[in-house]
Amino acid sequence: MDEQSVADLVEPLVTSPPEGPPEYVATAGRTLARQGSVTVSVSESQRVVAVVADGEETFEVELASTAEGLLARCNCSIGYSGNLCPHSFATAFVIWDRG
């Protein structure tokens, strides 16, 4: 089975965020995206890498399509363990908006 693109995998996140993460995580991500805080450095069908400015700090985010689904990594305290964080959501919103 072919892996889906990152854009396909983020669609459900941005159209109806999952119940797992607290609501503020998705809301904070949307705010960061709207503020122009996301700089995408790699944009491939199967992998996206971005830097997200959050206050005075910057965080590195990777979203990738794997056989298991969406892999989200960020070097913040929430995203480090693979959990969806505001920075991952912000990157997802930017990728979704690009179409």
Side-chain angles (χ1 to χ4, degrees), residues 56-97:
E56 294 184 14
E57 297 184 76
T58 57
F59 298 95
E60 296 177 15
V61 175
E62 177 183 16
L63 301 178
S65 174
T66 70
E68 292 80 33
L70 182 67
L71 169 73
R73 288 190 203 154
C74 178
N75 63 341
C76 75
S77 60
I78 297 171
Y80 186 75
S81 61
N83 294 316
L84 290 169
C85 66
H87 315 108
S88 297
F89 270 103
T91 304
F93 285 121
V94 167
I95 296 306
W96 173 250
D97 284 343

Side-chain angles (χ1 to χ4, degrees), residues 3 14-15 18 22 43 51-52 62 67 74 89 97:
E3 291 177 6
V14 299
T15 57
S43 181
V51 174
V52 181
E62 177 183 16
C74 178
F89 270 103
D97 284 343

